[in-house]
Amino acid sequence: MPNVSVFDMNGKKVSDIALADGIFGIEPNVSAMHLVVVNYLANQRQGTQSTLTRSEVSGGGKKPWRQKGTGRARQGSTRSPQWYHGGIAHGPKPREYGFDINKKVKRLAMKSALSSKAAAEEIVVLDSLELNEIKTKEVVKVLSNLETGKKVLVVLPEKNDVIYRSARNIAGVKTTLVNTLNVYDILNCDTLVILKDSVAKIEEVYA
């Protein structure tokens, strides 16, 4: 059972916490994490790109010149793909890039991502994060005290607009909730800052 230190907002250690072995201490499954990350990125694609085929481009109804006798290649329309202003052959059309993944694979990928961060000692547990007003400077100070990396993911137990609005303008810093936590964000950050209450919720959800 991995043990990590719990820090306060000043970066001082206040206690230790034992993380659940079944969530933070498993052998990471790389293929499951890869599949979930590919799925996440695919779901972000809008798929709205569209081109016009030769039947959708206006004009081109008249045969440009007669079939034989001109010495030029035979042409039936000025909207064929080889013509300037012609239609696009095999161009992109609106489509859905997303695909479904088995729930068990998603859970395995989440546990693998959390375990990989714990094994790399890139998880910082914060006792609490309380701000009286929206102050970006305060969040920067807290992260500096914790000696985090450039890319930080802060996991909050519940919605907090003061923290969210204080942190959203800091480059490389992202806040998320336990119920919106995803594998891509976990793997994409240098340091995973989890509030103590969030640890309990994560263990409750993925136990």
Side-chain angles (χ1 to χ4, degrees), residues 94-140:
R95 56 166 290 193
E96 178 61 53
Y97 287 92
F99 57 94
D100 295 328
I101 294 182
N102 190 298
K103 286 183 180 179
K104 290 184 178 179
V105 176
K106 288 183 180 179
R107 291 177 68 88
L108 176 60
M110 179 64 74
K111 293 177 181 179
S112 297
L114 292 171
S115 296
S116 65
K117 285 295 179 183
E121 297 182 352
E122 293 176 352
I123 290 181
V124 174
V125 178
L126 188 60
D127 186 39
S128 65
L129 183 57
E130 298 175 359
L131 302 177
N132 296 323
E133 56 181 332
I134 300 171
K135 278 283 186 181
T136 300
K137 185 166 62 176
E138 290 298 319
V139 178
V140 171

Side-chain angles (χ1 to χ4, degrees), residues 117 151-153 183-191:
K117 285 295 179 183
K151 299 176 77 174
V152 182
L153 179 64
V183 175
Y184 176 81
D185 285 338
I186 294 173
L187 297 177
N188 193 41
C189 70
D190 297 323
T191 307

